[in-house]
Amino acid sequence: MPADIHLKDVPALVGSELGVSRWFVVDQTMIDRFAGATEDHQFIHTDPVRAAAETPFGGTIAHGFLTLSLLSAMNFDCVPRIIEQTMGINYGFDKVRFITPVKSGARVRGRFVLDEARFRGAGMVTIRYDVSVEIEDERKPALTADWITIIQFDPKDRPEDV
């Protein structure tokens, strides 16, 4: 997949895998920083000794929302940029499922499939991704999601046939 694409080429990519990100290490430092930012200090995330003794995970695990928050970096890492884009907006999720816990020290990456591209108004296109976050050496993903973003562009750049 090219690093940059034109707006007119987006509809033809529906159903295609747009990219797979590089691996991101989710270490205890990242988990602790996320706990501090969100004030979620549950021991399964922040106390390796207790988590090893009292959970089936063998140690701490990342917050599900930490894994979800990495989608932005993963997207930026591998999804082609739309040349005419002036701004991208996170619109939300229709579905998110946390399937497998991400253990501290694990490596994760995002896989993005373009599920839908719908032009709205003169200068916006809604992009819907079918995304999964894979964990290295795990059979099941950390999460799957139906993620919706809005790409804004100058109305003069709108393709004529959409």
Side-chain angles (χ1 to χ4, degrees):
M1 187 69 57
D4 297 315
I5 59 173
H6 285 283
L7 192 57
K8 66 179 178 52
D9 299 323
V10 171
L13 295 173
V14 171
S16 300
E17 182 174 275
L18 297 181
V20 178
S21 76
R22 66 184 165 87
W23 291 105
F24 290 77
V25 176
V26 180
D27 60 15
Q28 193 60 49
T29 299
M30 180 187 285
I31 294 168
D32 290 342
R33 287 181 177 160
F34 190 84
T38 60
E39 297 190 22
D40 180 353
H41 298 280
Q42 186 178 174
F43 81 94
I44 66 172
H45 306 303
T46 60
D47 187 337
V49 173
R50 186 174 172 199
E54 297 181 27
T55 73
F57 310 122
T60 56
I61 59 171
H63 306 71
F65 287 137
L66 167 54
T67 307
L68 186 69
S69 73
L70 290 172
L71 287 178
S72 293
M74 292 172 177
N75 179 292
F76 186 76
D77 187 64
C78 70
V79 172
R81 299 298 105 196
I82 298 172
I83 293 167
E84 297 85 359
Q85 177 176 331
T86 58
M87 180 172 50
I89 301 167
N90 184 5
Y91 191 66
F93 296 88
D94 273 348
K95 181 180 177 182
V96 177
R97 295 292 181 266
F98 300 104
I99 298 168
T100 304
V102 176
K103 295 176 182 177
S104 178
R107 293 185 347 147
V108 296
R109 68 181 179 185
R111 184 174 298 275
F112 296 83
V113 174
L114 180 59
D115 190 48
E116 180 182 62
R118 188 169 50 90
F119 284 83
R120 303 169 32 162
M124 291 190 296
V125 60
T126 301
I127 302 290
R128 183 182 297 265
Y129 298 104
D130 177 12
V131 61
S132 61
V133 174
E134 301 170 348
I135 307 168
E136 189 174 41
D137 299 325
E138 290 284 343
R139 190 173 55 84
K140 293 183 180 179
L143 68 83
T144 60
D146 182 8
W147 185 22
I148 306 164
T149 64
I150 296 174
I151 303 300
Q152 289 190 310
F153 56 89
D154 189 316
K156 72 173 177 45
D157 293 326
R158 183 185 176 101
E160 292 181 18
D161 58 342
V162 293

